Amino acid sequence: MVFDAWTIPDQMSQWRGSPGWHVDPATVTSELKPGGRHHHDKVRESDGQVVGTDAVFTEYFPPDVFVAKQRITGDDGINPDQPLELRVEFTKMGRHGTLVRIIQGPYDPSQSELHSEGWELELERLSQWLQANATPIEGAAR
């Protein structure tokens, strides 16, 4: 379920973005395979600023990991001419948990803390979205 939330466009567009931002669902495309392209636009609600992400999957191994080379535009802290790499790993933890490990960069050192905080906020939104959309697991404690 966690891997799907990251990779299926209809699901990803419902939770991605830090508070005050949202993903425009009409902009999300994803070819879920090595060499497949991905695109989404995040929109800041206060002023309509758009940050676009264009990516190509370099690795895609559901439900364990995906890696993408990214070009991000519209973010003053990221040079759109310097590609970033995003690696997201999913590790099953216990019966009902998943550890998500995000590695992205390189960032300018002055921007790395800001982006780390942004990922933490997005992961909180993911957790809330998963809780709201989870189907009960038979035999699971409530």
Side-chain angles (χ1 to χ4, degrees):
M1 184 174 176
V2 179
F3 189 88
D4 288 349
W6 274 86
T7 56
I8 295 174
D10 289 345
Q11 292 185 30
M12 189 202 83
S13 65
Q14 294 181 44
W15 67 269
R16 284 292 313 269
S18 299
W21 290 80
H22 69 275
V23 168
D24 178 353
T27 68
V28 182
T29 59
S30 228
E31 298 171 273
L32 302 174
K33 62 182 182 179
R37 297 197 172 275
H38 169 84
H39 176 85
H40 72 271
D41 288 342
K42 289 183 189 173
V43 180
R44 186 166 44 200
E45 292 154 7
S46 64
D47 63 5
Q49 177 184 348
V50 175
V51 174
T53 299
D54 287 295
V56 174
F57 290 107
T58 57
E59 296 179 44
Y60 188 79
F61 298 103
D64 300 313
V65 65
F66 69 83
V67 180
K69 290 287 185 184
Q70 300 177 304
R71 180 175 186 268
I72 299 177
T73 57
D75 184 324
D76 294 337
I78 297 177
N79 179 350
D81 296 323
Q82 180 180 12
L84 297 178
E85 182 174 88
L86 172 66
R87 178 181 185 88
V88 184
E89 300 171 352
F90 304 83
T91 304
K92 184 173 174 67
M93 302 294 289
R95 291 180 58 204
H96 307 297
T98 302
L99 172 70
V100 178
R101 182 173 183 229
I102 302 167
I103 305 164
Q104 186 182 40
Y107 290 119
D108 180 284
S110 68
Q111 296 292 311
S112 62
E113 185 65 29
L114 176 68
H115 290 284
S116 178
E117 290 171 11
W119 278 117
E120 289 176 20
L121 292 169
E122 286 200 40
L123 288 172
E124 180 59 32
R125 284 182 80 172
L126 171 62
S127 177
Q128 293 168 2
W129 185 86
L130 289 167
Q131 288 175 15
N133 290 280
T135 55
I137 299 170
E138 190 174 319
R142 296 191 195 278

